[in-house]
Amino acid sequence: MPVRLAAAALLGLEALGILALAGWQTVALIGGDTDSAVSSIALIVLTVIGAVTVAGFAVATARDVSAGRSGGIVTQLLILSVAIGAITGEWAAPFVALLIALPAIVGLVLLFLAVRGAVPRRRDADTDA
């Protein structure tokens, strides 16, 4: 399996994870576990938009489109920033941070390898002369 397809599959799984988060937020809203219904609905909408965006990056990466790989790299960096946030502060959770960071690190490596694989090979200067 080409590296870009593995990267696309990981992005697809991350999109499903974000969609699951939107489901969790919806359950919290229905259960009355929110302070503001309007803010909760806005957050759910933004979370679904994020999931659709990451799914789009997955499809674009699978189709070998540069913008998909670029967006995927940005997504992995944002996920890593969430992981860093999970290990800092009053309620630090290092194990949760590790669970968040590992797929992002794997995703970064896969996407960087996909970028490298997408670059056309240069011919030597000797053959052009």
Side-chain angles (χ1 to χ4, degrees):
M1 169 185 333
V3 174
R4 71 179 166 81
L5 293 180
L10 184 60
L11 282 169
L13 288 173
E14 289 171 347
L16 288 175
I18 297 169
L19 206 54
L21 178 61
W24 182 22
Q25 293 168 339
T26 302
V27 169
L29 176 64
I30 292 169
D33 193 23
T34 60
D35 290 335
S36 168
V38 173
S39 294
S40 296
I41 292 168
L43 184 59
I44 292 167
V45 169
L46 288 173
T47 304
V48 170
I49 290 170
V52 170
T53 302
V54 174
F57 294 152
V59 170
T61 299
R63 296 181 66 185
D64 206 19
V65 175
S66 176
R69 293 187 300 268
S70 300
I73 289 170
V74 171
T75 300
Q76 302 315 304
L77 294 175
L78 289 171
I79 292 170
L80 282 173
S81 71
V82 170
I84 290 170
I87 60 173
T88 61
E90 190 175 337
W91 294 286
F95 182 70
V96 172
L98 184 65
L99 289 176
I100 294 170
L102 282 177
I105 292 169
V106 171
L108 269 177
V109 170
L110 289 173
L111 286 162
F112 283 142
L113 290 174
V115 168
R116 263 193 109 206
V119 175
R121 296 185 184 258
R122 287 185 0 180
R123 296 188 321 187
D124 289 343
D126 301 21
T127 59
D128 290 337

